[in-house]
Amino acid sequence: MILNSEQETVAFAKEVAEKIGPQEKAVVIGLEGNLGAGKTTFSKGLLQSLGVNEPIISPTFLLIKEYQLDQEKAKGFKKAYHIDTYRLEDTGELNALQLQEILKEKDALVLVEWAERAKDLLPEDAIWVKIEHKGEARNFEIKY
């Protein structure tokens, strides 16, 4: 799917949010793409559609940011985690931050930017969103 603006990316993220719901373990969305591809914009759109009202920035230096969700908008999710593995030196850092416990949480959504860097830690049933620059536009491929 070719998207031509930040607004289209946010709208697409909201469409994806409509298609997913909580499970017995965390729902994981892995985001792949070069710097500036739109991973954070997609994450913002999805998190805002679930009722996050605070500013959403990529947690590059924190690695993991937890958000409480507006239960009227959250579609059954209780909380969301936004993870950025760009600065990750090795996957052991994520394990030290309790990633495996987070992935077991019922009713949680986990968004992982630069997910290819932590692919071996993510569940097989993760949803993958690959974003590629196409000039000013972005090509989004999603695998449920």
Side-chain angles (χ1 to χ4, degrees):
M1 166 181 292
I2 302 290
L3 302 176
N4 295 302
S5 68
E6 189 171 312
Q7 293 80 12
E8 287 183 9
T9 299
V10 167
F12 176 62
K14 290 178 180 182
E15 288 176 25
V16 171
E18 290 294 325
K19 294 179 181 178
I20 60 174
Q23 306 288 320
E24 290 300 313
K25 58 185 173 95
V27 173
V28 177
I29 298 177
L31 299 158
E32 297 179 88
N34 292 334
L35 244 126
K39 297 177 296 296
T40 301
T41 300
F42 179 91
S43 296
K44 283 180 187 180
L46 201 141
L47 291 168
Q48 288 170 344
S49 74
L50 298 176
V52 174
N53 293 318
E54 63 186 275
I56 300 166
I57 59 171
S58 189
T60 303
F61 295 100
L62 299 173
L63 290 183
I64 297 177
K65 170 77 171 137
E66 180 180 336
Y67 293 97
Q68 298 303 315
L69 305 174
D70 178 331
Q71 292 307 296
E72 290 182 23
K73 296 180 179 179
K75 300 170 184 60
F77 289 107
K78 294 202 164 88
K79 64 175 98 167
Y81 296 91
H82 188 189
I83 300 172
D84 186 325
T85 64
Y86 181 73
R87 293 182 63 242
L88 203 63
E89 304 231 356
D90 66 65
T91 55
E93 291 177 72
L94 282 175
N95 283 329
L97 293 169
Q98 311 290 315
L99 176 65
Q100 293 308 312
E101 287 74 21
I102 290 170
L103 295 177
K104 293 176 190 172
E105 286 188 33
K106 182 179 178 180
D107 303 331
L109 175 68
V110 180
L111 292 163
V112 183
E113 294 190 33
W114 300 94
E116 64 276 13
R117 295 176 182 228
K119 197 169 199 164
D120 57 326
L121 297 178
L122 302 180
E124 289 182 20
D125 61 351
I127 299 165
W128 287 89
V129 178
K130 185 175 183 178
I131 310 167
E132 294 179 319
H133 288 276
K134 297 285 184 188
E136 292 298 313
R138 306 292 189 266
N139 182 40
F140 280 74
E141 292 179 28
I142 188 163
K143 294 179 185 171
Y144 290 94

